[in-house]
Coordinates of all heavy atoms in Angstrom, one line a residue:
Chain I
I2 N -44.5 -29.8 -11.2 CA -43.1 -29.7 -11.1 C -42.7 -28.2 -11.2 O -41.8 -27.7 -10.4 CB -42.4 -30.5 -12.2 CG1 -42.6 -32.0 -12.0 CG2 -40.9 -30.3 -12.2 CD1 -42.4 -32.9 -13.2
L3 N -43.4 -27.5 -12.1 CA -43.1 -26.1 -12.2 C -43.3 -25.3 -11.0 O -42.6 -24.4 -10.5 CB -44.0 -25.5 -13.3 CG -43.6 -25.8 -14.8 CD1 -44.6 -25.3 -15.8 CD2 -42.2 -25.1 -15.0
I13 N -34.7 -20.1 -2.3 CA -33.3 -19.8 -2.5 C -33.0 -18.3 -2.7 O -32.1 -17.8 -2.1 CB -32.8 -20.6 -3.7 CG1 -32.8 -22.1 -3.4 CG2 -31.4 -20.2 -4.1 CD1 -32.6 -23.0 -4.6
R20 N -28.4 -13.7 3.1 CA -27.0 -13.9 3.1 C -26.3 -12.5 2.8 O -25.3 -12.1 3.4 CB -26.6 -14.9 2.1 CG -25.1 -15.1 1.9 CD -24.5 -16.2 2.8 NE -23.1 -16.2 2.6 CZ -22.3 -16.9 3.2 NH1 -22.7 -17.8 4.1 NH2 -21.0 -16.9 3.0
Y55 N 8.3 20.7 -4.5 CA 9.7 20.8 -4.2 C 10.5 20.6 -5.4 O 11.5 21.3 -5.7 CB 10.0 19.9 -3.0 CG 11.5 19.8 -2.7 CD1 12.1 20.9 -2.1 CD2 12.2 18.6 -2.8 CE1 13.5 20.8 -1.8 CE2 13.5 18.5 -2.5 CZ 14.2 19.6 -2.0 OH 15.5 19.6 -1.6
Y62 N 15.1 26.8 -9.3 CA 16.2 27.4 -8.6 C 17.5 27.1 -9.4 O 18.4 28.0 -9.5 CB 16.4 26.7 -7.2 CG 17.8 27.0 -6.6 CD1 18.0 28.3 -6.0 CD2 18.8 26.1 -6.7 CE1 19.3 28.6 -5.5 CE2 20.0 26.3 -6.1 CZ 20.3 27.6 -5.6 OH 21.5 27.9 -5.1
E66 N 20.0 29.9 -10.5 CA 21.4 29.9 -10.0 C 22.4 30.0 -11.2 O 23.4 30.7 -11.1 CB 21.7 28.6 -9.2 CG 23.0 28.7 -8.4 CD 23.4 27.3 -7.9 OE1 23.2 26.3 -8.6 OE2 23.9 27.2 -6.8
Y69 N 22.4 33.6 -12.4 CA 23.2 34.3 -11.4 C 24.7 34.2 -11.6 O 25.4 35.2 -11.6 CB 22.7 33.9 -10.0 CG 23.8 34.0 -8.9 CD1 24.1 35.2 -8.3 CD2 24.4 32.9 -8.4 CE1 25.1 35.4 -7.3 CE2 25.4 32.9 -7.4 CZ 25.7 34.2 -6.9 OH 26.7 34.3 -5.9
K73 N 27.0 37.3 -12.7 CA 28.0 37.7 -11.8 C 29.4 37.7 -12.5 O 30.2 38.7 -12.3 CB 28.0 36.8 -10.6 CG 28.8 37.2 -9.5 CD 28.7 36.2 -8.3 CE 29.8 36.5 -7.3 NZ 29.8 35.5 -6.2
L85 N 26.3 45.5 -13.6 CA 26.1 45.5 -12.2 C 24.6 45.4 -11.8 O 24.2 44.6 -11.0 CB 26.6 46.9 -11.6 CG 26.3 47.2 -10.2 CD1 27.0 46.2 -9.3 CD2 26.6 48.6 -9.8
A88 N 23.5 41.8 -12.6 CA 24.0 40.9 -11.6 C 23.3 41.0 -10.2 O 22.9 39.9 -9.6 CB 25.5 41.2 -11.4
V89 N 22.9 42.2 -9.8 CA 22.2 42.4 -8.6 C 20.8 41.7 -8.7 O 20.4 41.1 -7.8 CB 22.1 44.0 -8.3 CG1 21.1 44.2 -7.1 CG2 23.4 44.5 -7.8
R99 N 15.6 30.4 -3.9 CA 16.3 29.6 -2.9 C 15.4 29.5 -1.6 O 15.2 28.4 -1.0 CB 17.7 30.0 -2.6 CG 18.5 29.2 -1.5 CD 19.7 29.8 -1.2 NE 19.7 31.1 -0.6 CZ 20.7 31.9 -0.3 NH1 22.0 31.5 -0.6 NH2 20.5 33.1 0.2
Y106 N 10.9 22.7 1.5 CA 11.7 21.6 2.1 C 11.4 21.5 3.6 O 11.1 20.3 4.0 CB 13.1 21.8 1.8 CG 14.0 20.8 2.5 CD1 14.1 19.5 1.9 CD2 14.6 21.0 3.7 CE1 14.9 18.5 2.5 CE2 15.4 20.1 4.2 CZ 15.6 18.8 3.7 OH 16.3 17.8 4.2
L109 N 7.9 20.0 4.0 CA 8.0 18.6 3.7 C 8.6 17.8 4.8 O 8.0 16.7 5.2 CB 8.8 18.4 2.4 CG 8.7 17.1 1.6 CD1 7.3 16.7 1.3 CD2 9.6 17.2 0.3
Y113 N 7.2 14.7 7.2 CA 7.9 13.4 7.5 C 8.1 13.2 9.0 O 7.9 12.0 9.4 CB 9.3 13.5 6.8 CG 9.4 13.0 5.4 CD1 9.4 13.9 4.4 CD2 9.3 11.6 5.1 CE1 9.4 13.4 3.0 CE2 9.3 11.2 3.8 CZ 9.4 12.1 2.8 OH 9.4 11.7 1.5
K152 N 22.8 47.7 -4.1 CA 23.9 46.8 -3.8 C 24.1 46.7 -2.2 O 24.4 45.5 -1.7 CB 25.1 47.5 -4.4 CG 26.3 46.6 -4.6 CD 27.4 47.3 -5.3 CE 28.8 46.5 -5.2 NZ 29.8 47.2 -5.8
R156 N 23.8 43.3 0.2 CA 24.9 42.8 1.1 C 24.3 42.5 2.5 O 24.6 41.4 3.1 CB 26.0 43.9 1.2 CG 27.0 43.8 0.1 CD 28.2 44.6 0.4 NE 29.1 44.6 -0.7 CZ 29.7 45.6 -1.3 NH1 29.5 46.8 -0.7 NH2 30.5 45.5 -2.3
V159 N 22.3 39.3 2.3 CA 23.2 38.1 2.2 C 23.8 37.8 3.6 O 23.8 36.6 4.1 CB 24.4 38.4 1.2 CG1 25.5 37.4 1.4 CG2 23.9 38.4 -0.2
F162 N 21.2 36.2 5.8 CA 20.9 34.9 5.4 C 22.0 33.9 6.0 O 21.7 32.7 6.2 CB 20.7 34.7 3.9 CG 20.3 33.3 3.5 CD1 19.1 32.9 3.7 CD2 21.3 32.4 3.1 CE1 18.7 31.6 3.4 CE2 21.0 31.1 2.7 CZ 19.6 30.6 2.9
S166 N 21.0 30.6 7.7 CA 21.3 29.3 7.1 C 21.8 28.3 8.2 O 21.4 27.1 8.2 CB 22.4 29.4 6.1 OG 23.6 29.8 6.7
V173 N 17.0 21.3 10.6 CA 16.9 20.1 9.7 C 17.7 18.9 10.3 O 17.1 17.8 10.3 CB 17.5 20.5 8.3 CG1 17.7 19.3 7.4 CG2 16.6 21.5 7.6
F177 N 16.6 15.2 11.2 CA 17.2 14.0 10.7 C 17.6 13.0 11.8 O 17.4 11.8 11.7 CB 18.5 14.5 10.0 CG 18.3 15.0 8.6 CD1 19.5 15.4 7.8 CD2 17.1 15.0 8.0 CE1 19.3 15.9 6.5 CE2 17.0 15.5 6.7 CZ 18.1 15.9 5.9
K184 N 12.9 5.7 12.9 CA 12.8 4.6 11.9 C 13.3 3.3 12.4 O 12.6 2.2 12.3 CB 13.5 4.9 10.6 CG 12.8 5.9 9.7 CD 13.7 6.3 8.5 CE 13.3 7.5 7.8 NZ 14.2 8.0 6.8
L185 N 14.4 3.3 13.0 CA 15.0 2.1 13.6 C 14.2 1.6 14.8 O 14.1 0.3 14.9 CB 16.5 2.3 13.9 CG 17.4 2.5 12.7 CD1 18.8 3.0 13.2 CD2 17.6 1.2 11.9
T187 N 11.1 1.9 15.3 CA 9.8 1.3 14.7 C 10.1 -0.1 14.3 O 9.3 -1.0 14.6 CB 9.3 2.1 13.6 OG1 9.2 3.5 13.9 CG2 8.0 1.7 13.1
K191 N 8.5 -3.5 16.0 CA 7.8 -4.4 15.1 C 8.4 -5.9 15.2 O 7.7 -6.8 15.1 CB 7.7 -3.9 13.7 CG 6.7 -2.8 13.5 CD 6.6 -2.4 12.0 CE 5.6 -1.3 11.8 NZ 5.5 -0.8 10.4
A192 N 9.8 -5.9 15.2 CA 10.5 -7.2 15.3 C 10.1 -7.9 16.6 O 10.0 -9.1 16.5 CB 11.9 -6.9 15.2
L195 N 6.6 -9.2 16.2 CA 6.7 -10.4 15.3 C 7.2 -11.6 15.9 O 6.7 -12.7 15.8 CB 7.5 -9.9 14.1 CG 7.7 -11.1 12.9 CD1 6.4 -11.5 12.4 CD2 8.6 -10.5 11.8
D198 N 4.7 -13.2 18.2 CA 3.7 -13.9 17.4 C 4.2 -15.2 16.9 O 3.5 -16.2 16.9 CB 3.2 -13.0 16.2 CG 2.3 -11.8 16.6 OD1 2.0 -11.7 17.8 OD2 2.1 -10.9 15.8
L203 N 4.3 -20.9 16.6 CA 5.2 -22.0 16.4 C 5.2 -22.9 17.5 O 6.0 -23.9 17.5 CB 6.6 -21.6 15.9 CG 6.7 -20.8 14.6 CD1 8.1 -20.3 14.5 CD2 6.5 -21.7 13.4
A206 N 4.1 -26.5 16.7 CA 4.5 -27.1 15.5 C 5.8 -28.0 15.7 O 6.6 -27.6 16.5 CB 4.8 -26.0 14.4
Y252 N 24.0 14.4 14.7 CA 23.6 13.5 13.6 C 24.8 12.7 13.1 O 24.6 11.5 12.8 CB 23.0 14.4 12.4 CG 22.5 13.6 11.3 CD1 21.4 12.7 11.3 CD2 23.2 13.6 10.1 CE1 21.0 12.0 10.2 CE2 22.8 12.9 9.0 CZ 21.7 12.1 9.1 OH 21.3 11.4 8.0
N256 N 25.5 8.6 13.8 CA 25.5 7.8 12.6 C 26.1 6.4 12.8 O 25.6 5.4 12.4 CB 26.0 8.5 11.4 CG 25.5 8.0 10.1 OD1 24.3 7.7 10.0 ND2 26.3 7.9 9.1
L259 N 24.0 4.4 15.1 CA 22.8 3.9 14.4 C 23.1 2.8 13.4 O 22.3 1.9 13.1 CB 22.1 5.1 13.8 CG 21.5 6.2 14.8 CD1 20.9 7.3 14.0 CD2 20.4 5.5 15.7
S260 N 24.3 2.9 12.9 CA 24.7 1.9 11.8 C 24.9 0.5 12.6 O 24.4 -0.5 12.0 CB 26.0 2.2 11.2 OG 25.8 3.4 10.4
Y263 N 21.5 -0.7 13.1 CA 20.9 -1.2 11.8 C 21.4 -2.7 11.5 O 20.6 -3.5 11.2 CB 21.3 -0.2 10.7 CG 21.0 -0.6 9.4 CD1 19.6 -0.4 8.9 CD2 21.8 -1.3 8.5 CE1 19.2 -0.7 7.6 CE2 21.4 -1.6 7.2 CZ 20.2 -1.4 6.8 OH 19.8 -1.8 5.5
S267 N 19.2 -6.0 11.3 CA 19.2 -6.9 10.1 C 19.5 -8.3 10.5 O 18.9 -9.2 9.9 CB 20.3 -6.3 9.2 OG 20.4 -7.0 8.0
L270 N 16.4 -9.9 12.0 CA 15.4 -10.3 11.0 C 15.8 -11.5 10.2 O 15.0 -12.4 9.9 CB 15.2 -9.1 10.1 CG 14.5 -7.9 10.7 CD1 14.3 -6.8 9.6 CD2 13.1 -8.3 11.2
L277 N 11.5 -19.6 10.9 CA 10.4 -20.2 10.2 C 10.7 -21.5 9.5 O 9.8 -22.2 9.2 CB 9.9 -19.1 9.2 CG 9.2 -17.9 9.8 CD1 8.9 -16.8 8.7 CD2 7.9 -18.2 10.5
Chain R
F49 N -39.8 -25.8 -19.7 CA -39.9 -25.1 -18.3 C -39.2 -25.9 -17.3 O -38.5 -25.3 -16.4 CB -41.4 -24.9 -18.0 CG -42.0 -23.7 -18.5 CD1 -43.1 -23.8 -19.4 CD2 -41.5 -22.4 -18.2 CE1 -43.6 -22.6 -19.9 CE2 -42.0 -21.3 -18.8 CZ -43.1 -21.4 -19.6
F50 N -39.4 -27.2 -17.4 CA -38.7 -28.1 -16.4 C -37.1 -27.9 -16.4 O -36.5 -27.7 -15.5 CB -39.1 -29.5 -16.6 CG -38.4 -30.5 -15.6 CD1 -38.8 -30.5 -14.3 CD2 -37.4 -31.2 -16.1 CE1 -38.2 -31.3 -13.4 CE2 -36.7 -32.1 -15.2 CZ -37.1 -32.2 -13.9
G53 N -36.1 -24.4 -15.3 CA -36.2 -24.4 -13.8 C -35.0 -25.2 -13.2 O -34.3 -24.7 -12.2
L56 N -31.9 -23.2 -13.5 CA -31.9 -22.1 -12.6 C -31.5 -22.4 -11.3 O -30.7 -21.9 -10.5 CB -33.3 -21.4 -12.6 CG -33.5 -20.2 -11.8 CD1 -32.8 -19.0 -12.5 CD2 -35.0 -19.8 -11.5
V57 N -32.1 -23.6 -10.8 CA -31.8 -24.1 -9.4 C -30.3 -24.5 -9.4 O -29.6 -24.3 -8.4 CB -32.7 -25.3 -9.2 CG1 -32.2 -26.1 -7.9 CG2 -34.1 -24.9 -8.9
I60 N -28.3 -21.3 -9.0 CA -28.4 -20.8 -7.7 C -27.6 -21.6 -6.7 O -26.9 -21.1 -5.8 CB -29.9 -20.6 -7.3 CG1 -30.5 -19.5 -8.2 CG2 -30.1 -20.2 -5.9 CD1 -32.0 -19.5 -8.1
L64 N -24.6 -20.4 -4.3 CA -24.7 -20.6 -2.9 C -23.5 -21.4 -2.4 O -22.9 -21.1 -1.3 CB -25.9 -21.5 -2.5 CG -27.2 -20.6 -2.2 CD1 -28.4 -21.6 -2.0 CD2 -27.0 -19.8 -1.0
W67 N -20.5 -19.1 -2.3 CA -20.6 -18.2 -1.2 C -20.4 -18.8 0.2 O -19.8 -18.3 1.1 CB -22.0 -17.6 -1.2 CG -22.0 -16.4 -2.1 CD1 -21.3 -16.2 -3.3 CD2 -22.9 -15.2 -2.0 NE1 -21.6 -15.1 -3.9 CE2 -22.6 -14.4 -3.2 CE3 -23.8 -14.8 -1.1 CZ2 -23.2 -13.2 -3.4 CZ3 -24.5 -13.6 -1.3 CH2 -24.2 -12.8 -2.5
S68 N -20.8 -20.1 0.2 CA -20.8 -20.8 1.6 C -19.5 -21.5 1.8 O -19.4 -22.2 2.8 CB -22.0 -21.7 1.7 OG -21.8 -22.7 0.8
I85 N 2.6 -28.6 8.4 CA 2.3 -27.4 9.4 C 3.0 -26.2 8.9 O 2.5 -25.1 9.0 CB 2.7 -27.9 10.8 CG1 1.8 -29.0 11.3 CG2 2.6 -26.7 11.8 CD1 2.3 -29.8 12.5
I89 N 1.4 -22.2 8.6 CA 1.7 -21.1 9.6 C 2.7 -20.2 9.1 O 2.7 -19.1 9.6 CB 1.9 -21.7 11.0 CG1 3.1 -22.7 10.9 CG2 0.7 -22.4 11.5 CD1 3.5 -23.2 12.3
S90 N 3.6 -20.6 8.3 CA 4.7 -19.6 7.9 C 4.4 -18.6 6.9 O 5.1 -17.7 6.7 CB 6.0 -20.5 7.5 OG 5.7 -21.1 6.3
L93 N 3.6 -15.1 8.3 CA 4.8 -14.7 9.1 C 6.0 -14.4 8.2 O 6.7 -13.4 8.4 CB 5.2 -15.8 10.1 CG 4.2 -16.1 11.3 CD1 4.6 -17.3 12.0 CD2 4.1 -14.9 12.2
E94 N 6.1 -15.2 7.2 CA 7.2 -14.9 6.2 C 7.0 -13.6 5.5 O 7.9 -12.8 5.3 CB 7.2 -16.0 5.1 CG 8.2 -17.1 5.4 CD 8.2 -18.2 4.3 OE1 7.4 -18.1 3.4 OE2 9.0 -19.2 4.5
R96 N 5.5 -11.0 6.8 CA 5.8 -10.0 7.8 C 7.2 -9.8 7.9 O 7.7 -8.7 8.0 CB 5.1 -10.3 9.2 CG 3.7 -10.0 9.2 CD 3.0 -10.5 10.4 NE 3.4 -9.8 11.6 CZ 3.1 -10.1 12.8 NH1 2.3 -11.2 13.0 NH2 3.5 -9.5 13.9
V97 N 8.0 -10.9 7.9 CA 9.5 -10.8 8.0 C 10.0 -10.0 6.8 O 10.9 -9.1 6.9 CB 10.1 -12.2 8.1 CG1 11.6 -12.1 8.0 CG2 9.8 -12.9 9.4
L100 N 9.1 -6.3 7.0 CA 10.0 -5.7 8.0 C 11.4 -5.5 7.5 O 12.0 -4.4 7.8 CB 10.0 -6.5 9.2 CG 10.2 -5.7 10.6 CD1 9.3 -4.6 10.7 CD2 10.1 -6.6 11.8
S101 N 11.9 -6.4 6.7 CA 13.2 -6.2 6.1 C 13.2 -5.1 5.1 O 14.2 -4.3 5.1 CB 13.6 -7.5 5.3 OG 13.5 -8.6 6.2
E103 N 11.3 -2.5 5.3 CA 11.2 -1.3 6.2 C 12.5 -1.0 6.7 O 12.9 0.2 6.8 CB 10.2 -1.5 7.3 CG 9.6 -0.2 7.8 CD 8.5 -0.4 8.8 OE1 7.8 -1.4 8.7 OE2 8.4 0.4 9.8
L104 N 13.3 -2.0 7.1 CA 14.6 -1.7 7.6 C 15.6 -1.1 6.6 O 16.4 -0.3 6.9 CB 15.2 -3.1 8.1 CG 16.6 -3.0 8.8 CD1 16.6 -2.1 10.1 CD2 17.2 -4.4 9.1
E105 N 15.4 -1.6 5.3 CA 16.2 -1.0 4.3 C 16.0 0.5 4.2 O 16.9 1.3 3.9 CB 15.9 -1.7 2.9 CG 16.8 -3.0 2.7 CD 16.5 -3.6 1.3 OE1 16.2 -2.9 0.4 OE2 16.6 -4.8 1.3
L106 N 14.7 0.9 4.3 CA 14.4 2.3 4.2 C 14.9 3.1 5.5 O 15.1 4.3 5.4 CB 12.9 2.5 4.1 CG 12.3 2.0 2.8 CD1 10.7 2.1 2.9 CD2 12.8 2.8 1.6
A107 N 15.2 2.4 6.5 CA 15.7 3.0 7.7 C 17.2 3.0 7.8 O 17.8 3.3 8.9 CB 15.1 2.2 9.0
D108 N 17.8 2.7 6.7 CA 19.3 2.7 6.8 C 19.8 4.2 7.1 O 19.5 5.1 6.4 CB 19.8 2.4 5.4 CG 21.3 2.2 5.3 OD1 22.0 2.5 6.3 OD2 21.8 1.7 4.3
P109 N 20.6 4.3 8.2 CA 21.0 5.6 8.6 C 22.0 6.3 7.6 O 22.2 7.5 7.7 CB 21.7 5.4 10.0 CG 21.9 4.0 10.0 CD 21.0 3.3 9.2
N110 N 22.6 5.4 6.8 CA 23.5 6.0 5.8 C 22.8 6.5 4.5 O 23.5 7.0 3.6 CB 24.6 5.0 5.4 CG 25.4 4.6 6.6 OD1 25.9 5.5 7.3 ND2 25.5 3.3 6.9
E112 N 19.8 8.9 3.5 CA 18.8 9.9 3.8 C 17.8 10.0 2.7 O 18.1 10.2 1.6 CB 19.4 11.2 4.2 CG 18.4 12.2 4.7 CD 17.7 11.8 5.9 OE1 18.3 11.4 7.0 OE2 16.4 11.8 5.9
K113 N 16.5 9.7 3.1 CA 15.4 9.8 2.0 C 15.2 11.3 1.5 O 14.9 11.4 0.3 CB 14.1 9.2 2.7 CG 13.1 8.9 1.6 CD 11.9 8.3 2.3 CE 10.8 8.1 1.3 NZ 9.5 7.6 2.0
L114 N 15.3 12.2 2.4 CA 15.1 13.6 2.0 C 16.3 14.4 2.3 O 16.3 15.1 3.4 CB 13.8 14.1 2.7 CG 13.3 15.4 2.2 CD1 12.7 15.4 0.8 CD2 12.2 15.9 3.2
P115 N 17.4 14.4 1.5 CA 18.6 15.1 1.9 C 18.4 16.6 1.8 O 17.5 17.1 1.3 CB 19.6 14.6 0.9 CG 18.8 14.2 -0.3 CD 17.5 13.7 0.2
F116 N 19.3 17.2 2.5 CA 19.3 18.7 2.5 C 19.3 19.2 1.1 O 20.0 18.7 0.2 CB 20.5 19.3 3.3 CG 20.3 20.6 3.7 CD1 19.7 20.9 4.9 CD2 20.8 21.7 2.9 CE1 19.5 22.3 5.3 CE2 20.6 23.1 3.3 CZ 19.9 23.3 4.5
P117 N 18.5 20.3 0.8 CA 18.4 20.7 -0.6 C 19.7 21.1 -1.2 O 20.5 21.8 -0.6 CB 17.4 22.0 -0.5 CG 16.9 22.0 0.8 CD 17.6 21.0 1.7
P118 N 20.0 20.7 -2.4 CA 21.2 21.1 -3.1 C 21.3 22.5 -3.6 O 21.2 22.8 -4.8 CB 21.4 20.1 -4.2 CG 20.0 19.7 -4.6 CD 19.1 19.9 -3.3
V119 N 21.2 23.4 -2.6 CA 21.2 24.9 -3.0 C 22.5 25.5 -2.4 O 23.0 25.0 -1.5 CB 19.9 25.6 -2.4 CG1 18.6 25.1 -3.1 CG2 19.8 25.5 -0.9
D120 N 22.9 26.5 -3.1 CA 24.0 27.3 -2.6 C 23.6 28.3 -1.5 O 22.9 29.2 -1.7 CB 24.6 28.1 -3.8 CG 25.9 28.8 -3.5 OD1 26.3 28.7 -2.4 OD2 26.5 29.4 -4.4
M121 N 24.1 27.9 -0.3 CA 23.7 28.7 0.8 C 24.6 30.0 1.0 O 24.4 30.8 1.8 CB 23.9 27.9 2.1 CG 23.0 26.7 2.2 SD 21.2 27.0 2.2 CE 21.0 27.1 4.0
R122 N 25.6 30.1 0.1 CA 26.5 31.3 0.1 C 26.4 32.2 -1.1 O 27.3 32.8 -1.6 CB 27.9 30.7 0.2 CG 28.2 30.0 1.5 CD 29.6 29.4 1.5 NE 29.8 28.5 2.6 CZ 30.1 28.9 3.8 NH1 30.3 30.2 4.1 NH2 30.3 28.0 4.8
I123 N 25.2 32.3 -1.6 CA 25.0 33.2 -2.8 C 25.3 34.6 -2.3 O 24.6 35.0 -1.3 CB 23.5 33.1 -3.3 CG1 23.3 31.7 -4.0 CG2 23.2 34.2 -4.3 CD1 21.9 31.6 -4.5
S124 N 26.1 35.3 -3.0 CA 26.4 36.6 -2.6 C 26.9 37.4 -3.8 O 27.2 36.9 -4.8 CB 27.6 36.7 -1.5 OG 28.8 36.3 -2.2
F125 N 26.7 38.7 -3.7 CA 27.0 39.6 -4.8 C 28.5 39.8 -5.0 O 29.0 39.8 -6.2 CB 26.3 40.9 -4.5 CG 26.5 41.8 -5.7 CD1 25.8 41.6 -6.9 CD2 27.3 43.0 -5.6 CE1 26.0 42.5 -8.0 CE2 27.5 43.8 -6.6 CZ 26.9 43.5 -7.8
D126 N 29.2 39.8 -3.9 CA 30.7 40.1 -4.0 C 31.5 38.9 -4.4 O 31.1 37.7 -4.0 CB 31.2 40.6 -2.7 CG 30.5 41.9 -2.4 OD1 30.3 42.7 -3.3 OD2 30.1 42.1 -1.2

Side-chain angles (χ1 to χ4, degrees):
Chain I
I2 295 164
L3 279 173
I13 290 166
R20 171 95 185 178
Y55 174 65
Y62 168 77
E66 194 192 37
Y69 149 76
K73 188 181 169 184
L85 171 67
V89 169
R99 181 183 63 186
Y106 177 76
L109 193 55
Y113 271 103
K152 200 177 167 181
R156 274 195 184 131
V159 168
F162 185 77
S166 68
V173 168
F177 277 179
K184 283 175 193 171
L185 290 170
T187 306
K191 284 184 180 177
L195 176 60
D198 288 351
L203 296 170
Y252 178 71
N256 206 36
L259 294 176
S260 293
Y263 177 82
S267 183
L270 289 181
L277 290 171
Chain R
F49 275 118
F50 178 75
L56 187 73
V57 169
I60 292 167
L64 272 176
W67 278 28
S68 62
I85 296 164
I89 57 177
S90 67
L93 291 174
E94 265 180 359
R96 282 173 67 186
V97 171
L100 209 53
S101 304
E103 200 174 332
L104 182 65
E105 272 182 33
L106 293 174
D108 186 351
N110 296 310
E112 188 53 56
K113 195 178 175 184
L114 190 67
F116 198 85
V119 292
D120 185 358
M121 298 295 270
R122 296 176 188 275
I123 291 177
S124 69
F125 181 71
D126 299 317

